[in-house]
């Protein structure tokens, strides 16, 4: 016969188990960035979760991390984040769906297209390139950096990251540093604010305008960096 004390503690155990269970496909906030061939199409925070994604060329397909049983629970993915960003901010995107791999290949974002021979839309998560046909498989997490970049680099380009102060005084000279966003190594020979980074991956910029001053790093063969905004006060 079951011990009566079990019935006394059962509600407590049930409460503990429910509260300890991981949330399934809870909406999260990530930073979405889309780098076109010559300029940034979009950069900013979005809220996303895993869900079906529709494109003009492919129709609607699952895109919640359960594709080909890649994960045990559904969750947000890079292409679901792209879809949510497009819905809120009004940039279009398109892609074909490869049934064999249960995933999308993107061919257009924000009106910028690829022919798959001279350029490709590359995806990165936290400055690390994502494999092609992983956009609905690999789940992303809160505060992740989700990047889509149109690149003609046939290899694996480095995702640049620009770091520097968030505020400064008018006339102040500040140092901006460019690094490989994943490996954290410094990158020389790329452009920031009309200057070229030195051997330490740095440029020194004198701030002569009040308000928000914005910078990006860019260079041939690299994925353009995040935007860095510096608030300049008198």
């Amino acid at each position: 016969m079951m011990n009566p004390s079990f019935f006394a503690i059962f509600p407590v155990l049930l409460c503990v188990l429910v509260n300890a269970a991981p949330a399934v496909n809870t909406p999260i906030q990530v930073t979405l960035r889309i780098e076109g061939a010559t300029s940034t199409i979009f950069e900013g925070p979005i809220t996303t979760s895993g869900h079906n994604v529709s494109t003009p060329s492919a129709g609607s397909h699952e895109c919640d991390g359960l594709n080909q049983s890649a994960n045990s629970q559904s969750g947000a993915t890079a292409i679901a984040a792209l879809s949510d960003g497009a819905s809120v901010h009004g940039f279009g995107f398109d892609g074909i769906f490869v049934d064999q791999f249960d995933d999308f290949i993107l061919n257009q974002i924000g009106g910028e297209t690829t022919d798959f021979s001279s350029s490709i839309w590359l995806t990165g998560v936290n400055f690390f390139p994502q494999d092609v046909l992983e956009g609905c498989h690999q789940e992303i997490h809160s505060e992740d950096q989700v990047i889509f970049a149109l690149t003609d680099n046939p290899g694996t380009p480095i995702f640049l990251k620009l770091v520097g102060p968030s505020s400064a005084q008018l006339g102040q000279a500040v140092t901006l540093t460019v690094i490989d966003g994943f490996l954290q190594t410094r990158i020389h020979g790329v452009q920031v604010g009309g200057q070229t980074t030195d051997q330490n991956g740095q440029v020194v910029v004198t701030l002569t305008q009040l308000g928000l001053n914005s910078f990006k790093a860019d260079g041939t063969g690299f994925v353009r960096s995040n935007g860095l905004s510096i608030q300049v006060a008198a």
Side-chain angles (χ1 to χ4, degrees):
M1 183 174 180
M2 185 173 288
N3 191 328
S5 64
F6 172 81
F7 294 100
I9 66 172
F10 178 75
V12 177
L13 292 173
L14 180 62
C15 182
V16 170
L17 289 172
V18 169
N19 289 334
V24 178
N25 203 12
T26 303
I28 60 172
Q29 187 173 86
V30 300
T31 298
L32 175 66
R33 179 156 54 91
I34 303 169
E35 298 293 350
T38 60
S39 63
T40 302
I41 295 172
F42 175 81
E43 182 172 6
I46 63 148
T47 299
T48 188
S49 60
H51 54 76
N52 280 19
V53 168
S54 296
T55 68
S57 296
S60 178
H61 297 274
E62 182 179 41
C63 193
D64 61 359
L66 296 181
N67 301 57
Q68 294 187 322
S69 302
N71 299 276
S72 60
Q73 295 179 332
S74 60
T77 61
I79 290 182
L82 175 66
S83 175
D84 290 329
S87 296
V88 174
H89 297 283
F91 55 83
F93 76 101
D94 198 7
I96 60 174
F97 194 83
V98 184
D99 291 325
Q100 179 183 356
F101 298 102
D102 201 21
D103 218 318
F104 288 94
I105 297 179
L106 299 172
N107 56 27
Q108 183 264 121
I109 305 177
E112 297 196 31
T113 61
T114 173
D115 59 8
F116 302 116
S117 59
S118 60
S119 62
I120 188 172
W121 275 105
L122 179 69
T123 310
V125 177
N126 297 328
F127 301 95
F128 186 78
Q130 187 180 63
D131 289 340
V132 176
L133 296 165
E134 285 290 313
C136 291
H137 286 65
Q138 180 182 334
E139 293 186 357
I140 58 176
H141 305 93
S142 180
E143 307 303 324
D144 276 354
Q145 302 277 327
V146 181
I147 307 161
F148 293 87
L150 184 61
T151 177
D152 58 4
N153 187 337
T156 304
I158 291 172
F159 286 73
L160 298 177
K161 182 177 182 179
L162 180 61
V163 295
S166 59
S167 62
Q169 296 298 118
L170 186 66
Q172 181 179 346
V174 298
T175 299
L176 308 181
T177 305
V178 182
I179 61 175
D180 177 326
F182 181 69
L183 295 178
Q184 305 290 298
T185 53
R186 299 191 179 198
I187 304 296
H188 71 276
V190 297
Q191 301 298 306
V192 182
Q195 300 187 50
T196 303
T197 55
D198 62 18
Q199 292 298 316
N200 293 316
Q202 296 179 322
V203 298
V204 177
V205 178
T206 301
L207 301 169
T208 59
Q209 294 184 357
L210 288 171
L212 207 59
N213 288 235
S214 297
F215 300 91
K216 272 187 175 270
D218 200 0
T220 303
F222 296 95
V223 172
R224 192 177 301 111
S225 79
N226 56 293
L228 174 67
S229 294
I230 305 174
Q231 185 67 44
V232 179

